[in-house]
Amino acid sequence: MLTLPLSAVGRSHTGINIVGPCNAEPPPPIPAMYQLDIVLKKGNNLAIRDRTGTSDPYVKFKIAGKEVFRSKTIHKNLNPMWDERATLLVESLRDPLYVKVFDYDFGLQDDFMGSAYLFLESLEHQRTLEVTLDLKDPHYPDHNLGSLELSVTLSPREGDMRDACQSMRLSDLHRKAQLWRGIVSISLIEGRGLQPMDTNGRSDPYVKFRMGHQKYKSKTIPKTLNPQWREQFDFHMYEEQGGYVDITVWDKDAGKKDDFMGRCTIDLSLLSKEHTHKLELPLEEGEGVLVMLVTLTASAAVSISDLSVNVLDDPHERHQIKQRYSLWRSLRNLKDVGVVQVKVIRAEGLMAADVTGKSDPFCIVELSNDRLQTHTVYKNLNPEWNKVFTFNVKDIHSVLEVTVYDEDRDRSADFLGKVAIPLLNIQNGERKAYALKSKELTGPTKGVIFLEIDVIFNAVKAGLRTLIPIEQKYIEEEPRVSKQLLLRNFNRVRRCIMFLINTGYYINSCFEWDSPQRSICAFVLFVVLVWNFELYMIPLALLLPLAWNYILITSGKDTRQDVQAMEDLMEDEDEDFDKDDRDSERKGFMNKLYAIQDVCISVQNALDEVASYGERIKNTFNWTVPFLSWLAIVALGMATVIVYFIPLRYIVLAWGVNKFTKKLRDPYTIDNNEILDFLSRVPSDVQVVQYRELKLDPNPSPNKRKKNNPG
């Protein structure tokens, strides 16, 4: 390792620290491309930007005015340790690397903490240099804002480097081998003796987990210093030696920034695989300990191959896989529900995202938190990938998402289109053209993608997994206030409430004898049911609408609600989201929203949750997902038989004994509600619209296409 010569360090007239050219020997002939490897190590004595006397710093790298890297945020630390690596491809050394440091402020504009320039022409080729950059503010050049320590290596690269370029959005993924090498399962059990952060001597703690690009956030436990979470999170492990899981604890505060309560780290290299470890981790920079169970397991069955080589096309291999998920193996490895194979064939008529009238499209295939990527086809609106992706199915109610992006060398990839396909909607072995949708899945965009999908699963395992908590998605971005979402969720709740009100009017009309025939039938039914009532009639009564709607559907009369109203509600939503994005950039507007932001988000999410559960209950009885409706029939039928043959007092006694002894039998069990877990798999009306396939229009109207195109 070498340090940069002092002669290479200078000051510009603006006061920004500059690492400038040195008297090194002339460089060799200019290659076609350079690779710049940077290790952002740490910061020293950074500027204070928060009222608490600390800052929440993160770093941005820019070249030629374009952002090429952004580090993670280190909270409440003036001497942060990042230890993050970035690999940049640079066409010219004439543009310096511009380094800027900011203090993260939730809901407000981030505060500037200093900047510096690193002149790439000053770097010796193929040698690692240790660089210290003194941060300065060009408006106040005399202020000392601390420094950054970096390790920099510049290497010339010959030839066309396009194949090495990937979307900056995916820069943290395992580039050459996207396949993860293991699963890290973390059960967050409880906290003990946490630090009081509120005036009442208590806290409202929640936990954030981060492992590379993967992030999770636990639920918030109000008013306690000894919270019981009992939640499970799964991470993909890309490195053979393990890696680290960073854990931070926060106190939730409505209307202001959440308080930091401490941090801890799990070194996975110290844990043996295929074994569950109970960890009690003391919190640094805080008080108390976190108790959790950590299990490292071998990699799930995921693979990428060419179209000519895939498993399910081999009759022998397909037979073996079907045997593995046959009914007589239903009780083996309940987490292994099935397997899905996705053939990404080609796309046609994609949107032109580059100034040349072409695009550089690549495809990302996602199933829950599993994500794999195709190669990039350059300068083509009709790309052919011919790739086969294989995923393990952990939940048959998961949704397969296929997204097409345009690769941009110096910035984030441009969105071109997306489709969302529930696994239970897949027709095995059918090569199908799917019309691409907008980012929010609310309307069509330009182009179609050709996919062929096969799903093999065990119905018993799938049914049992329906009754356990659904896998959480990675945290990708902070929630934001949207008046369009508020309005949409309000209308959804209003529709559910109006259904209940209309039902009440109908029942009241029987009392009012508006229709004598209907009132007489209702009266006779009421007397018979009350006189002969037994508890088993309750699940039996719930079976009746399921059976009635099934009969209507099989006879050709589909009683499921027409989704046209929901489509009308969502058709201009992409345009509204873009407008929200523009509004959010107005500093004054965001400052005014900051005080009420948490309240608005809570109301927005509550409306969404209430509306979703109301719609899911309705969609269960409407046979929106036949598998779930059949599962409901089995469960209600079993409940009818049990309640019919077993006296109520014994059922209640068994339920109470189970509830009181559950924690004694398994202190680390994860609490759940089977009914809510079941309903979480039923799509709401919004999801029904999002997963609905668009009809292909061979001759779309230019005006209509322009209206629906969010780009």
Side-chain angles (χ1 to χ4, degrees), residues 597-627:
Q597 184 166 241
D598 284 349
V599 177
C600 291
I601 290 175
S602 298
V603 172
Q604 174 179 296
N605 293 340
L607 288 172
D608 176 66
E609 189 170 357
V610 171
S612 294
Y613 276 111
E615 293 166 355
R616 285 168 176 164
I617 293 172
K618 177 203 66 177
N619 289 338
T620 300
F621 290 98
N622 278 353
W623 292 82
T624 300
V625 182
F627 180 92

Side-chain angles (χ1 to χ4, degrees), residues 477-538:
E477 59 181 14
E478 295 286 347
R480 61 190 178 93
V481 179
S482 168
K483 62 182 181 180
Q484 284 73 31
L485 281 178
L486 277 171
L487 179 61
R488 188 180 77 186
N489 293 337
F490 173 77
N491 288 332
R492 292 166 62 197
V493 172
R494 184 178 63 180
R495 289 166 59 198
C496 293
I497 293 176
M498 289 304 299
F499 173 77
L500 296 177
I501 292 175
N502 292 334
T503 302
Y505 285 154
Y506 182 84
I507 295 174
N508 188 64
S509 69
C510 295
F511 298 145
E512 298 293 335
W513 292 82
D514 292 343
S515 171
Q517 296 88 348
R518 185 173 63 206
S519 297
I520 291 173
C521 292
F523 177 72
V524 172
L525 183 63
F526 173 78
V527 171
V528 171
L529 288 178
V530 171
W531 183 260
N532 299 285
F533 179 77
E534 295 289 346
L535 196 59
Y536 72 86
M537 294 180 181
I538 295 177

Side-chain angles (χ1 to χ4, degrees), residues 136 156 202 204 376 381 445 496 499 581 705:
K136 296 295 181 181
R202 299 183 179 181
D204 306 310
T376 303
L381 300 182
T445 187
C496 293
F499 173 77
D581 290 339
R705 186 170 65 231

Side-chain angles (χ1 to χ4, degrees), residues 223-289:
K223 296 182 175 58
T224 181
L225 301 180
N226 300 285
Q228 296 280 327
W229 284 287
R230 302 183 184 276
E231 294 183 87
Q232 180 172 319
F233 310 95
D234 290 337
F235 294 89
H236 293 148
M237 188 165 59
Y238 290 89
E239 300 177 8
E240 200 67 58
Q241 63 270 26
Y244 295 88
V245 179
D246 298 317
I247 305 168
T248 54
V249 185
W250 300 84
D251 170 57
K252 182 70 175 178
D253 285 328
K256 59 178 182 178
K257 191 174 182 180
D258 296 346
D259 298 320
F260 177 75
M261 298 179 64
R263 72 174 70 248
C264 56
T265 303
I266 301 176
D267 186 352
L268 300 177
S269 63
L270 303 178
L271 304 180
S272 59
K273 294 184 179 180
E274 308 300 336
H275 179 71
T276 299
H277 305 266
K278 180 183 177 183
L279 304 180
E280 297 187 6
L281 303 174
L283 293 176
E284 302 173 5
E285 306 175 41
E287 300 175 6
V289 298

Side-chain angles (χ1 to χ4, degrees), residues 536 539-540 543 546 630-644:
Y536 72 86
L540 179 61
L543 282 171
L546 278 167
W630 279 116
L631 198 61
I633 286 178
V634 173
L636 292 172
M638 292 175 61
T640 301
V641 174
I642 291 173
V643 174
Y644 179 79

Side-chain angles (χ1 to χ4, degrees), residues 72-75 81-84 186 207-217 235 243-250 260 262-268 281 283-284 290 292:
K72 63 184 178 183
T73 301
I74 306 296
H75 294 277
M81 299 286 294
W82 281 287
D83 196 25
E84 290 191 61
I186 298 178
V207 181
K208 288 184 176 181
F209 298 87
R210 175 168 182 161
M211 182 179 173
H213 68 283
Q214 307 166 79
K215 296 184 286 183
Y216 284 112
K217 178 180 176 181
F235 294 89
Y244 295 88
V245 179
D246 298 317
I247 305 168
T248 54
V249 185
W250 300 84
F260 177 75
R263 72 174 70 248
C264 56
T265 303
I266 301 176
D267 186 352
L268 300 177
L281 303 174
L283 293 176
E284 302 173 5
L290 293 181
M292 58 189 69

